[in-house]
Amino acid sequence: ITGWDLPEDAAPALTALAVVLVALGVAGVVASFGLFALGERVFDLDRDTIRTLMYLKLSVAGHFAVFRSRASNLVPGDTNGAIDIFVRDVYRGRTSRVHVSSSGDQANARALLRPRITADGHLVAFGSLASNLVRGDTNRSADVFVHDRSTGRTRRVSIGVDGRQANGDSSHGRI
């Protein structure tokens, strides 16, 4: 190993560490396929539900969990009665709602399936039927939004190259 100020006898320890990390990575993939088979064959879950659960498992392993819930007691002031998108910071033990407008107003309709979050927890993509998350949302269709957890800004990303809103439903955004 060059460029690092390490003792010469550190190389075997680093090699062993690399082997363990690769083994854990392979074990994680095998476990995920095992969970998929178990969910499908034993619990009779549909593939979309299994994918959502597997994504939650992978996100939790990465520090953040993103999920949908109709619960009104996860964050203060949740009175809309809608299914919202939340992010749980597993390390800090904090839950925040991201299915909100840039000014923090709660959504006036439900969030859709499969929210996505970046590995660093900074950005969250989700679909929603809400019409009050951004100004000018008058298409009466499901849209895809990205919420920036650092700034609190929510943007609609399911728009045309000319900046006009979609004339039909959009969903399942990925980030």
Side-chain angles (χ1 to χ4, degrees):
I1 299 176
T2 60
W4 293 22
D5 189 21
L6 296 173
E8 287 185 34
D9 60 346
L14 291 175
T15 301
L17 177 63
V19 169
V20 168
L21 291 175
V22 168
L24 288 174
V26 170
V29 171
V30 171
S32 292
F33 280 109
L35 287 174
F36 194 89
L38 185 68
E40 193 173 51
R41 294 188 180 119
V42 175
F43 295 107
D44 199 31
L45 299 173
D46 64 278
R47 288 184 175 224
D48 284 340
T49 301
I50 295 168
R51 285 185 193 113
T52 300
L53 293 171
M54 288 177 68
Y55 182 76
L56 178 61
K57 172 193 164 287
L58 295 172
S59 294
V60 168
H63 181 120
F64 295 100
V66 61
F67 61 96
R68 299 175 30 184
S69 179
R70 188 184 301 272
S72 62
N73 64 341
L74 299 178
V75 296
D78 188 348
T79 59
N80 62 358
I83 297 172
D84 289 313
I85 305 294
F86 297 88
V87 173
R88 177 75 176 175
D89 183 329
V90 178
Y91 293 156
R92 292 187 176 100
R94 295 183 190 145
T95 300
S96 60
R97 181 170 50 166
V98 297
H99 187 225
V100 295
S101 71
S102 295
S103 61
D105 293 333
Q106 57 189 347
N108 62 5
R110 71 178 171 85
L112 304 178
L113 295 172
R114 298 188 204 157
R116 302 288 191 236
I117 190 167
T118 55
D120 65 1
H122 183 74
L123 301 173
V124 180
F126 57 89
S128 178
L129 294 170
S131 62
N132 67 331
L133 299 181
V134 296
R135 290 181 202 203
D137 187 348
T138 59
N139 64 357
R140 304 183 113 169
S141 297
D143 292 303
V144 176
F145 299 89
V146 172
H147 181 81
D148 184 325
R149 295 183 60 236
S150 296
T151 65
R153 182 175 178 215
T154 299
R155 295 176 290 137
R156 180 169 47 170
V157 296
S158 54
I159 55 175
V161 293
D162 59 0
R164 294 188 328 177
Q165 60 188 343
N167 61 4
D169 289 337
S170 302
S171 63
H172 305 326
R174 291 194 178 209
I175 195 157

